[in-house]
Amino acid sequence: MGLLTNEQSRNRVVSLLVQHNQKLSVLVYLAGISWFFALAYQPLNAATYFSENALLPGLVESHLPSVFLSVLQYKEQVEQEAKRDPKVTLQDWVYKKFDSLGIETFQQNFSVVYPFRSLSSKVCWMSAPLRPWHRIQRISVHIAGIKDASKPYWSKDIIFLFSDFDEIGAMAWLDAYHETASQYILTNGLEGRSGAIQAAINLELPLDNINYFNLKLEGLNGQLPNLDLVNLLVRLCQKEGARVAIHHSFDKRLSYGGDSFDNYKSSLKTMLKMMWYQASGAPSGNHGLFQKFHIESVTLQGVAKKKGSHDITTAARIMEGVLRSLNNLLERFHQSFFFYLLPSTNRYVSIGMYMPPFGLMALAGLIKISFVVFTLTCHGLALWKVSQMQTNAEKKEDTKKDGADESPDKDKEKDVEGMKYSLKDEAKTAVDESKDNFEDEMKTAEPLTNKGVLTILPVFLVSMLMGWMAHQGPELLTRIVPRFRIQTEDMIIYSLFAIFTAALAYPKLMTRKSGSPSTFVIDWQLLKSIALIGQTLALTTISLLNISQAFFLTAFMVPVTTLVRPSQQKIFRWIQMLALVFVSPLSLMFLVGLISAWPQPSTFDLLLQGYTNCKELIFLGVMDSYLFNAWTETIITAVIFPIWLLFWAIPWVDAVNSL
């Protein structure tokens, strides 16, 4: 309150914000993004450690390698069975093999309803669904290891699950296990189940020539597993002398030592790769859907090369260590971190480290409007103070009149009378000073329009309508796909192109006459203030769910949306429009497609492959929203797109008549 009510302090702050708000916005943005990238530097992050001490990683003797020596025998049996009839799956054979080993085995039937048409297809599943022939060699791994599941030291049940069609099969089993209903994945339930699942490890392992192990962490909607589970896999891989990577990025510090610039670049690359996968909101493996049910899960992928130094026994020892460590856990994972970024396998950046720089990046937009709000707030407080002083003066005067006959003390009357005139003079002086200061501040600040909320209401309503159309349009338009014989993924992107084109033209369509020329007259300062507030709230909310997605959106959008404003010069107006188109949601999707397609032999091939990737990305995002309740498509179409449309109207505003 002292800063707001003190005249000198208030004037200094207001003057600073009014005169230098543009520079301050750029400064805090650059400071925030530089700070964020600097988090990959070792002194600015922390070493990983175990919070769940009950895991006791590595304190067991391995028993599985001798059992896994029979894996090649089972591999030959699987291959012989597959050669009998390539069109038939291995369900019956695997079912009988598991049953012969004394393992409870159940089959599951379910149907998948295609979201955009009435077409549906049925696929038979079991609690161990199967992959295509060229990838089912891992079946022999599970069959060989299943003999060890009956050892007396296991205090927990172990569920072996094979899934076909990747995430769809895993989702069908999870829905049935937890008895949750899905509109598009329909199951008939499971005949048997165990208790609450503490953790899940998804395996993608070759039998031999394993060069290194790769970890996939990201789950649905950017969820991450408990950091202790990640640390457990890393620690056990290192114990077995195997290299471990995150999205195929290694920690060069282990090779070069020290804190050289090469180490920093390696750490930054690893962190950005993890953020790239997390920002998509799609799971990076079958494990990603388990996290939706609060099951900590990770995918362990073995990457094979011709001269790989590890075989399946190394993977067996690692998995035994994981299972026996989880066997010691008496409760669900609840300690350690669920929100983090990994610059390497042994270092982490917690939420307490990355939120301050992200907050600076998001703050850049609010600085542009803070001086207006601050000025009006200070002026209101000044008027409130003056009103309070006048009220006190009137009360003193009334008290003096009422007590004149009862009080014989003339000196006291003189004091009250003097206080009365003193308070009146002070109030009058405060009113005059507040009025003069407010007028000076308004002269110094950018001129404020007096057109009000009614002028921006149509823009706001049109933006919300366009966002709703972008969110619901693909489903509505694909209902007429059979008439035009267009592929569903093509119809989805065509519909989004049509909505985006209409959105680009809406300011021109809303143009009204104002005098002689045709102008678009709105209270652009009020519109920009609302848009900046909405953008900051949206990005901050997304950061609490998926920091990577929020970071990339903030990094691209905030510099453009913060600086955009009407201009009398056409060249600056067109530059702003091009910049806004570049940071539009559809353009960012295409940019993601280009990055995924890089490199290509020619520019034309790059653009073509980028468009194909963009189309697939949008289609998969829509499908994930229907099948798995993914949020990315909803966030982009129903939140980011309408907010972007509010900014899109600003360069169209007539720079003279709107003031």
Side-chain angles (χ1 to χ4, degrees):
M1 289 298 294
L3 179 63
L4 295 177
T5 56
N6 183 273
E7 292 291 335
Q8 294 182 352
S9 300
R10 177 167 60 87
N11 289 337
R12 283 197 298 268
V13 174
V14 171
S15 177
L16 177 65
L17 291 174
V18 171
Q19 296 178 13
H20 305 289
N21 64 87
Q22 195 93 337
K23 297 178 182 178
L24 287 174
S25 296
V26 175
L27 179 62
V28 297
Y29 173 81
L30 293 178
I33 196 170
S34 301
W35 186 358
F36 204 102
F37 286 144
L39 293 176
Y41 184 53
Q42 181 177 353
L44 298 181
N45 51 57
T48 56
Y49 60 93
F50 283 93
S51 298
E52 302 282 358
N53 294 324
L55 288 171
L56 299 174
L59 298 184
V60 293
E61 294 182 2
S62 178
H63 299 292
L64 280 181
S66 60
V67 176
F68 269 76
L69 292 177
S70 61
V71 70
L72 296 178
Q73 172 189 352
Y74 290 112
K75 177 177 179 290
E76 294 177 356
Q77 295 180 15
V78 172
E79 290 176 346
Q80 292 176 0
E81 187 68 22
K83 291 178 181 178
R84 291 184 181 180
D85 189 354
K87 297 182 180 180
V88 179
T89 62
L90 290 173
Q91 292 174 347
D92 294 336
W93 184 85
V94 174
Y95 180 89
K96 293 178 182 178
K97 181 62 66 174
F98 272 61
D99 187 64
S100 66
L101 295 175
I103 303 298
E104 294 184 35
T105 309
F106 305 98
Q107 291 185 344
Q108 178 189 7
N109 298 320
F110 74 94
S111 60
V112 179
V113 180
Y114 193 54
F116 298 115
R117 300 181 190 174
S118 59
L119 176 65
S120 62
S121 59
K122 291 188 177 181
V123 184
C124 238
W125 298 78
M126 54 194 306
S127 61
L130 310 176
R131 287 187 177 270
W133 298 118
H134 65 282
R135 300 173 68 184
I136 60 174
Q137 59 182 0
R138 69 200 66 184
I139 295 176
S140 56
V141 177
H142 286 269
I143 297 176
I146 215 167
K147 292 182 178 180
D148 199 67
S150 58
K151 294 289 184 179
Y153 50 70
W154 295 117
S155 63
K156 293 180 174 62
D157 293 336
I158 301 175
I159 301 175
F160 292 86
L161 174 68
F162 296 83
S163 63
D164 203 356
F165 298 106
D166 295 322
E167 290 89 359
I168 296 179
M171 192 69 204
W173 185 82
L174 285 167
D175 280 338
Y177 192 88
H178 295 90
E179 298 182 349
T180 57
S182 174
Q183 183 179 355
Y184 302 101
I185 301 178
L186 309 178
T187 66
N188 62 347
L190 295 175
E191 298 179 20
R193 58 169 39 82
S194 185
I197 303 176
Q198 289 181 315
I201 307 297
N202 182 52
L203 301 179
E204 298 179 3
L205 300 173
L207 292 180
D208 48 20
N209 295 328
I210 300 176
N211 188 39
Y212 64 90
F213 292 95
N214 182 54
L215 295 181
K216 299 179 181 180
L217 315 178
E218 300 76 19
L220 189 66
N221 299 320
Q223 288 182 277
L224 297 173
N226 187 278
L227 187 56
D228 272 345
L229 183 60
V230 180
N231 296 338
L232 178 64
L233 282 167
V234 172
R235 186 70 59 86
L236 291 174
C237 287
Q238 293 175 348
K239 178 190 174 186
E240 298 298 331
R243 294 196 303 164
V244 59
I246 299 176
H247 293 298
H248 308 283
S249 293
F250 296 96
D251 184 11
K252 288 190 176 181
R253 188 176 295 107
L254 298 177
S255 303
Y256 297 98
D259 297 320
S260 66
F261 185 67
D262 289 337
N263 292 334
Y264 167 73
K265 289 193 300 182
S266 174
S267 298
L268 182 61
K269 178 183 177 182
T270 303
M271 187 175 76
L272 290 179
K273 270 193 173 182
M274 176 185 174
M275 294 176 65
W276 179 262
Y277 283 94
Q278 186 187 20
S280 68
S284 56
N286 281 9
H287 72 280
L289 296 175
F290 285 82
Q291 297 170 13
K292 178 181 178 181
F293 297 88
H294 304 287
I295 300 171
E296 308 310 314
S297 55
V298 176
T299 289
L300 181 65
Q301 178 189 26
V303 180
K305 288 189 177 181
K306 293 183 178 180
K307 297 182 180 180
S309 56
H310 301 281
D311 56 14
I312 195 61
T313 58
T314 302
R317 288 192 293 269
I318 294 172
M319 288 314 304
E320 182 195 19
V322 171
L323 292 177
R324 296 186 68 175
S325 295
L326 294 175
N327 192 57
N328 297 330
L329 198 61
L330 302 178
E331 52 193 351
R332 283 181 176 271
F333 284 95
H334 66 284
Q335 299 190 69
S336 193
F337 294 92
F338 294 88
F339 300 93
Y340 55 87
L341 298 173
L342 296 180
S344 69
T345 55
N346 296 300
R347 313 283 303 179
Y348 76 99
V349 179
S350 70
I351 186 173
M353 299 176 184
Y354 63 66
M355 283 305 291
F358 174 81
L360 285 180
M361 295 171 60
L363 181 65
L366 290 183
I367 291 180
K368 294 293 295 182
I369 61 170
S370 60
F371 76 95
V372 177
V373 177
F374 190 82
T375 300
L376 295 177
T377 302
C378 292
H379 181 62
L381 289 173
L383 294 179
W384 169 77
K385 179 181 178 182
V386 170
S387 176
Q388 187 181 43
M389 293 171 64
Q390 290 177 335
T391 302
N392 291 336
E394 292 175 356
K395 287 182 179 180
K396 293 293 185 179
E397 185 177 359
D398 294 339
T399 303
K400 182 253 181 184
K401 290 181 179 179
D402 295 339
D405 297 335
E406 299 178 2
S407 176
D409 192 348
K410 294 183 180 181
D411 293 337
K412 186 175 182 180
E413 293 178 1
K414 291 181 180 180
D415 293 340
V416 172
E417 189 70 18
M419 183 182 296
K420 168 188 171 182
Y421 289 110
S422 175
L423 287 172
K424 283 185 177 181
D425 293 340
E426 185 177 354
K428 184 176 182 302
T429 303
V431 171
D432 294 338
E433 290 179 355
S434 178
K435 182 178 179 181
D436 294 339
N437 291 331
F438 182 73
E439 291 176 352
D440 293 339
E441 291 160 5
M442 291 298 100
K443 290 178 181 178
T444 311
E446 297 180 359
L448 294 177
T449 180
N450 57 2
K451 294 181 176 60
V453 177
L454 293 180
T455 61
I456 68 171
L457 187 59
V459 176
F460 184 81
L461 294 178
V462 169
S463 299
M464 296 300 105
L465 177 62
M466 289 291 182
W468 179 85
M469 291 178 61
H471 182 55
Q472 297 293 335
E475 180 180 4
L476 298 176
L477 292 177
T478 48
R479 293 179 181 177
I480 62 175
V481 167
R483 300 181 182 179
F484 296 98
R485 296 182 180 179
I486 301 177
Q487 294 292 331
T488 303
E489 51 268 30
D490 291 327
M491 178 56 72
I492 291 176
I493 196 168
Y494 293 160
S495 64
L496 292 179
F497 272 130
I499 295 170
F500 183 69
T501 303
L504 293 179
Y506 92 90
K508 189 68 176 178
L509 298 176
M510 294 178 62
T511 298
R512 64 178 182 174
K513 297 291 183 179
S514 177
S516 178
S518 179
T519 57
F520 184 50
V521 181
I522 60 173
D523 188 346
W524 73 269
Q525 289 177 320
L526 179 60
L527 176 64
K528 185 174 180 180
S529 299
I530 294 176
L532 286 172
I533 293 174
Q535 176 182 260
T536 304
L537 290 176
L539 294 175
T540 304
T541 303
I542 296 172
S543 70
L544 299 177
L545 306 172
N546 189 337
I547 180 59
S548 301
Q549 190 176 89
F551 171 80
F552 288 118
L553 288 173
T554 304
F556 281 96
M557 292 186 64
V558 167
V560 177
T561 57
T562 300
L563 302 178
V564 66
R565 56 167 298 153
S567 176
Q568 299 183 38
Q569 300 182 8
K570 289 186 178 180
I571 182 64
F572 292 128
R573 181 178 299 184
W574 281 104
I575 290 175
Q576 291 184 90
M577 289 181 178
L578 290 175
L580 282 171
V581 170
F582 176 75
V583 300
S584 64
L586 196 58
S587 298
L588 292 179
M589 290 288 185
F590 182 67
L591 179 62
V592 171
L594 288 177
I595 296 175
S596 302
W598 182 272
Q600 292 292 327
S602 64
T603 303
F604 176 78
D605 292 336
L606 178 63
L607 294 176
L608 182 60
Q609 187 60 43
Y611 169 77
T612 302
N613 292 347
C614 176
K615 181 174 65 175
E616 293 178 355
L617 176 65
I618 293 175
F619 175 72
L620 292 176
V622 173
M623 290 295 296
D624 286 349
S625 67
Y626 284 107
L627 297 178
F628 310 133
N629 295 322
W631 300 337
T632 301
E633 187 265 346
T634 301
I635 289 174
I636 297 299
T637 57
V639 179
I640 300 300
F641 185 50
I643 292 176
W644 178 85
L645 286 176
L646 296 179
F647 291 105
W648 175 247
I650 295 175
W652 293 81
V653 177
D654 184 77
V656 177
N657 295 328
S658 64
L659 298 178

